[in-house]
Amino acid sequence: MSNVPTVEPFCVSDTFVTGAGPLQFMGDNLRLTLFVAQRFSYDGESDGAENAVVAKLVGSRADMLQIAAAIVRGCNTEGTPLDKATESFVEFLEAPKGRH
C-alpha cells in the first residue's frame, strides 16, 4: 500500500470482530461498523444472541477500497492463484463510482 513507515505512538489493542454492518455513506467518506457476536447482555436470556459494536472505521471510499483489496490479497486461499483471487476484486475496485 505505502512505503511510509508505520508507527504506534501508544499501545493499540487488537480488536476481534465476527462481522460488519452495512456501509454508511457520508459524503465522500464511508463508515464501516464492526461487531462481535455475543449472548444478550441485558435481558438474561441464555440462548439469545446480539451483535456488540467494537469499532467504527471512517475513511474515504478510495482508501477503504484499497484496504479491502489488501485484505483480499492477504486472505488468498490455498490452491487459488493470487491473480485469480484478486482479479475480480481489482476489477470492482477500478470500476466507476456508480457501480459500488
Side-chain angles (χ1 to χ4, degrees), residues 1 28-30 59-69 93 97 100:
M1 292 180 68
D28 291 336
N29 294 318
L30 57 95
S60 73
R61 176 183 171 276
D63 289 342
M64 296 295 260
L65 285 169
Q66 289 295 330
I67 292 166
L93 179 66
K97 184 175 180 177
H100 33 70

Side-chain angles (χ1 to χ4, degrees), residues 27-89:
D28 291 336
N29 294 318
L30 57 95
R31 176 189 295 133
L32 175 62
T33 301
L34 303 173
F35 59 80
V36 64
Q38 66 179 25
R39 290 185 182 158
F40 283 129
S41 56
Y42 297 109
D43 67 4
E45 289 188 30
S46 61
D47 61 345
E50 67 183 0
N51 295 322
V53 173
V54 294
K56 293 180 180 180
L57 305 177
V58 177
S60 73
R61 176 183 171 276
D63 289 342
M64 296 295 260
L65 285 169
Q66 289 295 330
I67 292 166
I71 291 169
V72 169
R73 284 191 298 271
C75 291
N76 180 36
T77 59
E78 283 187 37
T80 304
L82 182 59
D83 59 337
K84 297 280 186 192
T86 59
E87 184 177 315
S88 62
F89 187 84

Side-chain angles (χ1 to χ4, degrees), residues 3-23:
N3 291 331
V4 176
T6 300
V7 299
E8 189 170 344
F10 58 90
C11 184
V12 178
S13 299
D14 292 337
T15 302
F16 179 79
V17 301
T18 58
L23 292 174

